[in-house]
């Protein structure tokens, strides 16, 4: 038994509206996106996914009484918020759209996805190089933290100063030295080198200030466009939604920093093994801490890579961790449905994600998929569990009798079938049943009927 201190959940800052009110505000921000998503779900549909084809754009503008620019913007928001799913050249309504009117959590997750994608919602000026834009995007969380901690309006000069400091830190971390216009690495005469460097540095500083001002304006406009803040004359203020979202992200960082089991810096496989003997609640806390220290994309990719390995225990635990990820993992989980070893786990994950009761989620599996999952789980128990657990695992099979189970286990083609049957035969106290299981293992091993 593993014990650990529990960390009480922190409450949002005083004055934060209840989730129902936050969800109402999120629905208001995404109202046009929801209308367009519903339109796309009905006949005749848009036909093509991204970008929205011209004929579909015109049909939507006419049907919804919006301008083409409003339709295009709403379409992009619907995709970024998960209201529309792209399948090749076809757009389909996402699960989040079906749950929109009844599930506040789905609404808030959709808005947070849009909030995270603010730099895609509001395109950066075309004449600014991509590297400078990337630095600004990386520096914006510091700006948002200042806005959140200030709990009120913050002047643009103060935000600009912070942005400039953060960009300079990022450049220093990469050992970059900003160069002035026309400056090269060639040596200048000794008597002119210092004045030339000073002039170049001054020109580079002036250019950086001007560039940072443009980037700050772009960032604030992008965040305002997704409903995270409001802009006044010379100042910016977080909206209740923006304030709540920044608090949530800061809380995630705090969870990562206080992980008692020390799994944050481990690989996904080592982290999952470290959580294997934790009870569900503490294990989820560890998953959240590990996830908070990584980007969602890299974390999901690493968990799925572990799930593709040979260890069945890690495969199951990887999908437990993906349940903590939630909505951002849905496209990647849906994409592995074609992989036989992951398909049963992915089907169960999607069924629970779409609101099915976990006790009923097994109904989404075919008989063959349920049998494959039974063997895979038995392999995990055989490798990591106790013999008594393996014997009791017989009761979880969908087949009503052991002979029927053995017939279907032989046919399902799981690579660990022989090892599982041998381990079950060795563990079972009934000699007759153990003999039948050993015979089945021999038949699978030799390819007999």
């Amino acid at each position: 038994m593993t014990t650990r201190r529990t960390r009480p959940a922190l409450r949002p800052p005083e004055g934060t509206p209840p989730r129902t009110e936050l969800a109402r505000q999120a629905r208001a921000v995404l109202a046009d996106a929801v209308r367009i998503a519903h339109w796309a779900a009905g006949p005749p549909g848009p036909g093509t996914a991204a970008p929205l084809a011209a004929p579909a754009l015109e049909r939507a503008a006419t049907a919804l009484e919006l301008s083409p620019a409003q339709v295009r913007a709403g379409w992009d928001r619907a995709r970024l918020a998960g209201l529309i799913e792209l399948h090749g050249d076809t757009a389909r309504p996402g699960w989040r759209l079906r749950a929109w009117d009844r599930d506040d959590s789905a609404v808030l997750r959709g808005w947070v996805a849009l909030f995270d994608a603010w730099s895609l919602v509001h395109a950066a000026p075309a004449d600014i190089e991509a590297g400078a834009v990337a630095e600004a995007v990386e520096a914006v969380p510091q700006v948002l933290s200042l806005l959140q901690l200030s709990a009120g309006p913050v002047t643009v000069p103060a935000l600009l100063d912070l942005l400039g400091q953060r960009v300079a830190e990022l450049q220093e971390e990469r050992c970059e030295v900003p160069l002035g216009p026309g400056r090269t690495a060639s040596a200048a005469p000794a008597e002119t080198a210092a004045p030339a460097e000073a002039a170049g540095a001054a020109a580079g500083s002036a250019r950086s200030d001007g560039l940072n001002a443009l980037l700050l304006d772009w960032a604030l406009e992008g965040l305002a466009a997704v409903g995270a803040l409001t802009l006044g004359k010379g100042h910016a203020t977080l909206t209740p939604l923006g304030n709540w979202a920044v608090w949530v992200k800061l809380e995630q960082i705090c969870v990562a920093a206080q992980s008692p089991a020390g799994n944050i810096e481990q690989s996904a496989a080592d982290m999952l093994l470290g959580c294997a003997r934790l009870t569900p609640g503490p294990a989820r806390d560890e998953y959240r801490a590990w996830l908070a220290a990584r980007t969602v994309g890299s974390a999901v990719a690493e968990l799925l890579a572990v799930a593709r390995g040979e260890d069945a225990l890690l495969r199951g635990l990887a999908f437990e961790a993906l349940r903590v990820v939630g909505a951002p993992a849905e496209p990647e989980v849906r994409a592995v449905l074609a992989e036989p070893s992951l398909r049963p786990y992915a089907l169960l994950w999607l069924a629970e994600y779409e609101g099915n009761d976990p006790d009923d989620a097994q109904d989404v599996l075919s008989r063959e998929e349920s049998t494959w999952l039974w063997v895979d789980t038995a392999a995990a128990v055989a490798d990591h569990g106790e013999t008594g657990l393996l014997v009791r695992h017989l009761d979880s099979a969908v087949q009503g009798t052991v002979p029927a189970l053995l017939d279907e286990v032989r046919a399902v083609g799981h690579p660990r079938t022989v090892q599982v049957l041998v381990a079950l035969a060795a563990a079972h106290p009934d000699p007759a049943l153990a003999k039948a299981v050993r015979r089945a293992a021999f038949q699978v091993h030799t390819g007999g009927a």
Side-chain angles (χ1 to χ4, degrees):
M1 177 67 69
T2 300
T3 60
R4 51 175 283 177
R5 296 173 59 187
T6 58
R7 178 175 175 269
L10 296 181
R11 294 183 178 181
E14 186 176 352
T16 301
R19 288 176 67 85
T20 53
E21 173 58 20
L22 291 171
R24 186 196 66 77
Q25 295 177 16
R27 287 185 175 98
V29 171
L30 284 162
D32 282 350
V34 170
R35 290 181 64 202
I36 292 169
H38 279 301
W39 171 83
T48 56
L52 190 60
L57 185 66
E58 295 174 3
R59 291 200 308 270
T62 300
L64 301 173
E65 298 182 347
L66 298 171
S67 69
Q70 288 174 313
V71 171
R72 190 176 292 107
W75 178 260
D76 288 341
R77 290 170 179 237
R79 290 192 299 114
L80 293 170
L83 298 167
I84 294 173
E85 296 175 357
L86 305 184
H87 299 267
D89 289 335
T90 303
R92 300 175 187 169
W95 169 83
R96 191 166 285 149
L97 179 64
R98 297 191 291 273
W100 196 254
D101 293 330
R102 59 178 171 80
D103 189 339
D104 288 346
S105 293
V107 173
L108 291 173
R109 286 196 299 267
W111 182 83
V112 169
L114 183 69
F115 169 69
D116 288 338
W118 67 266
S119 60
L120 302 178
V121 172
H122 187 61
D127 56 346
I128 299 180
E129 63 179 15
V133 172
E135 286 175 346
V137 172
E138 195 171 349
V140 158
Q142 294 275 37
V143 173
L144 290 169
S145 296
L146 175 60
L147 285 163
Q148 200 266 345
L149 291 170
S150 299
V154 179
T155 64
V156 170
L159 297 174
L160 179 59
D161 183 59
L162 179 60
L163 179 73
Q165 290 179 32
R166 182 57 183 148
V167 168
E169 289 172 359
L170 293 171
Q171 292 173 343
E172 185 178 354
E173 289 170 3
R174 289 190 286 267
C175 299
E176 295 179 3
V177 179
L179 299 179
R183 186 178 173 191
T184 67
S186 60
E191 65 272 14
T192 62
E197 288 181 3
S205 177
R207 186 181 65 170
S208 296
D209 290 344
L211 178 60
N212 287 339
L214 288 174
L215 289 168
L216 178 64
D217 287 344
W218 163 67
L220 293 179
E221 289 168 2
L223 291 163
V226 299
L229 54 80
T230 57
L231 297 175
K233 189 174 181 179
H235 65 266
T237 309
L238 284 178
T239 63
L241 269 176
N243 187 67
W244 168 79
V246 175
W247 173 81
V248 167
K249 293 182 181 297
L250 289 173
E251 172 65 2
Q252 289 174 346
I253 294 172
C254 291
V255 169
Q258 299 182 29
S259 167
N263 290 304
I264 297 173
E265 297 182 0
Q266 301 295 325
S267 67
D270 290 341
M271 180 274 294
L272 292 172
L273 281 175
C275 296
R277 294 192 178 277
L278 297 178
T279 54
R284 283 192 293 270
D285 289 341
E286 288 300 313
Y287 300 152
R288 291 189 186 98
W290 186 86
L291 291 164
R294 290 157 178 79
T295 62
V296 172
S298 65
V300 171
E302 192 174 348
L303 288 169
L304 288 175
V306 171
R308 293 185 178 97
E310 296 181 358
D311 194 324
L313 175 66
L314 294 186
R315 187 160 28 253
L317 291 175
F319 276 86
E320 288 299 318
L322 288 169
R323 285 179 172 84
V324 174
V325 178
E330 182 197 5
E332 287 77 7
V333 172
R334 202 174 290 279
V336 304
L337 288 173
E339 301 180 36
S341 64
L342 302 187
R343 180 177 174 81
Y345 293 96
L347 286 171
L348 292 174
W349 190 99
L350 291 167
E352 293 181 27
Y353 171 74
E354 291 171 358
N356 292 309
D357 190 297
D359 293 336
D360 300 329
Q362 292 278 347
D363 296 341
V364 304
L365 301 181
S366 68
R367 182 97 164 189
E368 292 77 13
E369 290 161 350
S370 293
T371 303
W372 195 99
L373 184 61
W374 185 91
V375 178
D376 206 49
T377 306
V381 174
D383 289 342
H384 299 277
E386 300 174 358
T387 56
L389 290 176
L390 189 60
V391 173
R392 290 196 293 274
H393 185 55
L394 275 173
D395 296 335
S396 66
V398 295
Q399 294 78 7
T401 64
V402 171
L405 170 65
L406 294 177
D407 286 342
E408 295 185 32
V409 163
R410 286 199 296 265
V412 80
H414 192 289
R416 296 290 305 280
T417 298
V418 172
Q419 294 96 320
V420 164
L421 292 178
V422 169
L424 181 60
H428 207 284
D430 184 334
L433 190 147
K435 182 178 180 180
V437 173
R438 277 194 298 271
R439 185 184 303 115
F442 177 78
Q443 291 170 342
V444 174
H445 179 63
T446 60

